[in-house]
Amino acid sequence: TFLLDSRLLQILGRGLMVLALLSFVLGNLLVWRMLRRELELSRLRSDFIDLISHELRTPLTALSLKAEMLAHGEVRPDKVADYQRGLKAEVDRLALLVGEILDFARLEKGRTPLERREVPTRAVLARGLEEARPALRLSKQRVHVEASRDLPSLDVDMDLLARALRNLLENASKYAPEGSEIRLGAELCDSGLRLTVCDEGPGIPRQDRDRIFEPFIRGDNALGKPGSGLGLALVRQAVEAHGGRIRVEDGSPHGARFSITLPLGDAA
């Protein structure tokens, strides 16, 4: 009995040592993961502040310079209209950036209730295209729309979904070559209705395809391009708020193809 009890105590002691070792390892692993997450969040916040500061400073500097020249009469009369259009463009750029930040904050906290209504699918495409016209016109890009007239209506928040399409179209205009074609389409699929935006740009590397929908994350192709890092995050939030999903894949024959799949009927 004494030997048996000793063996049981030895086994129990070894088991406790193993448990203590596992607890130590798992505890340190958990702490390491928490620290890594905090460091990543801190880096993202720092990058976001730097990015936003740059994006705000650029139009503000242009606004200040042009306004000062106009105020001091340093602009030739035949150039005044051009300067005024430049001022309007910079103001629009600032308003767009501030709007993206506010929209992201509201969607992130769930403070933006959807104002759903039945709208024709082609009307959603037209609204998104109209809002993206200035960026497309600047890049001299053509948009080819493929959407049948007999597509069903969508029960959606028109403003929110149109902004999502605008972001995708502006993204395409930013990275696709000047004068290239962008394809905007809509079609029925097994999961509901699919909206697509295809461009002829460099495409999205596979390792970046999940990350680019995260806030403040920009892919390797975005280096040197203006942007807040919130556009695609806003698109994903808007799509998921409607019960849909978004994905990106290779375009045909090249470029990127973004697709938004929205549920129809009761699934919406």
Side-chain angles (χ1 to χ4, degrees):
T1 302
F2 176 76
L3 291 176
L4 182 61
D5 290 342
S6 298
R7 288 171 185 168
L8 286 174
L9 287 173
Q10 288 177 359
I11 294 171
L12 181 60
R14 289 171 184 167
L16 290 173
M17 289 179 65
V18 170
L19 286 174
L21 182 60
L22 285 174
S23 298
F24 176 77
V25 172
L26 291 175
N28 279 279
L29 180 61
L30 181 61
V31 170
W32 176 75
R33 291 184 63 182
M34 291 175 62
L35 286 174
R36 188 179 68 172
R37 178 173 174 77
E38 287 298 320
L39 288 172
E40 179 68 13
L41 288 174
S42 178
R43 184 187 65 79
L44 289 175
R45 291 191 192 100
S46 178
D47 291 347
F48 173 67
I49 291 172
D50 291 342
L51 186 63
I52 293 300
S53 297
H54 173 74
E55 290 298 313
L56 288 172
R57 190 180 298 113
T58 301
L60 283 173
T61 301
L63 278 171
S64 177
L65 179 61
K66 291 176 180 177
E68 185 174 351
M69 293 179 68
L70 285 170
H72 289 84
E74 298 175 2
V75 181
R76 297 201 326 252
D78 60 320
K79 293 293 184 181
V80 170
D82 291 338
Y83 271 69
Q84 290 174 339
R85 282 191 291 269
L87 286 172
K88 177 65 166 58
E90 297 298 344
V91 169
D92 290 344
R93 180 177 171 185
L94 273 175
L96 179 61
L97 178 59
V98 172
E100 282 188 348
I101 297 171
L102 294 176
D103 286 345
F104 174 78
R106 285 193 290 264
L107 284 170
E108 185 75 6
K109 295 179 180 179
R111 294 180 180 174
T112 304
L114 297 184
E115 299 181 0
R116 289 179 179 267
R117 57 190 175 94
E118 288 283 335
V119 292
T121 297
R122 289 168 61 91
V124 178
L125 298 182
R127 173 77 173 275
L129 180 57
E130 182 61 28
E131 293 187 6
R133 281 290 183 197
L136 296 167
R137 193 177 297 116
L138 190 64
S139 300
K140 301 177 182 178
Q141 286 155 336
R142 309 177 308 280
V143 178
H144 178 67
V145 181
E146 298 177 350
S148 172
R149 293 186 179 276
D150 59 359
L151 287 172
S153 295
L154 291 170
D155 180 26
V156 296
D157 185 317
M158 176 70 146
D159 294 337
L160 192 59
L161 195 57
R163 285 201 298 271
L165 284 176
R166 182 202 69 198
N167 271 312
L168 291 180
L169 289 167
E170 289 180 346
N171 216 48
S173 72
K174 188 186 303 182
Y175 297 104
E178 182 176 307
S180 62
E181 182 179 79
I182 295 172
R183 297 186 302 281
L184 174 64
E187 61 183 356
L188 289 172
C189 62
D190 293 339
S191 304
L193 192 137
R194 182 182 296 122
L195 310 178
T196 57
V197 176
C198 307
D199 62 58
E200 299 177 358
I204 308 295
R206 291 187 180 276
Q207 66 271 16
D208 289 339
R209 291 182 184 178
D210 292 328
R211 298 175 65 250
I212 59 172
F213 295 105
E214 297 294 329
F216 320 135
I217 296 293
R218 308 186 74 199
D220 294 337
N221 291 337
L223 296 177
K225 299 286 186 180
S228 65
L230 290 176
L232 290 178
L234 280 169
V235 173
R236 187 182 70 173
Q237 286 181 332
V239 171
E240 291 180 352
H242 286 88
R245 65 181 187 276
I246 183 169
R247 60 177 298 185
V248 59
E249 54 195 353
D250 291 330
S252 177
H254 53 81
R257 180 178 187 266
F258 286 85
S259 61
I260 295 173
T261 305
L262 297 170
L264 290 173
D266 296 335

